Amino acid sequence: MNFTLPKLDYSNNALAPIMSEETLDLHHGKHHQTYITNLINFIKDTDMDKMSLEEIILESFQDKSKIGIFNNASQHWNHNLFWKCMKPNGGGQMPSKLEKRIVTDFGSVDNFKKEFKQAGIT
């Protein structure tokens, strides 16, 4: 399987001022690319070379001998999702169904944000 850096649906400066062009270029063009390069090197000339990204993640999950494969494959998958979740002028009101669920599970949107930040820190 040939893994490549996904093309963004927006320009590198489209997320400013939330994410600068320099930060986006570094994170997309260098950071994400490193995961792809490492993954390709890890699976070269193995049975995993013919697998999809999802198959590689499932195959390497919880196998300590394949931790490097798992880390790079899962980070490539995570970053693919990350780029799709962002858009110029994004944000705004969350869907009411999501807000209701957050309030049910966390008591309030503010409490969810607080717990989410804490989880990220720790």
Side-chain angles (χ1 to χ4, degrees):
M1 175 91 19
N2 186 18
F3 299 108
T4 58
L5 189 66
K7 183 179 181 312
L8 298 177
D9 293 332
Y10 41 85
S11 67
N12 282 8
N13 65 356
L15 302 177
I18 305 303
M19 182 181 286
S20 71
E21 181 174 0
E22 179 182 36
T23 299
L24 183 65
D25 185 53
L26 178 67
H27 198 76
H28 178 258
K30 295 181 178 53
H31 182 75
H32 187 174
Q33 182 60 57
T34 298
Y35 289 125
I36 296 167
T37 301
N38 289 342
L39 174 60
I40 291 168
N41 289 333
F42 274 122
I43 65 171
K44 185 178 179 182
D45 299 326
T46 72
D47 291 343
M48 289 185 169
D49 193 28
K50 303 291 185 232
M51 293 181 180
S52 70
L53 186 57
E54 291 79 6
E55 290 170 327
I56 292 169
I57 291 169
L58 291 172
E59 177 72 22
S60 60
F61 177 66
Q62 292 188 337
D63 182 339
K64 290 183 181 183
S65 71
K66 297 176 181 169
I67 192 72
I69 295 170
F70 174 75
N71 286 343
N72 286 279
S74 60
Q75 285 297 336
H76 178 36
W77 190 95
N78 288 339
H79 280 76
N80 285 340
L81 176 63
F82 179 70
W83 304 125
K84 291 177 184 175
C85 290
M86 300 194 323
K87 65 181 180 179
N89 302 310
Q93 286 296 112
M94 71 175 72
S96 63
K97 186 175 179 180
L98 175 60
E99 184 174 6
K100 287 176 186 173
R101 182 60 189 253
I102 287 173
V103 170
T104 297
D105 291 352
F106 294 91
S108 70
V109 173
D110 286 339
N111 195 45
F112 165 76
K113 289 177 182 179
K114 179 182 171 186
E115 289 189 36
F116 187 83
K117 288 177 187 175
Q118 186 60 35
I121 292 169
T122 58

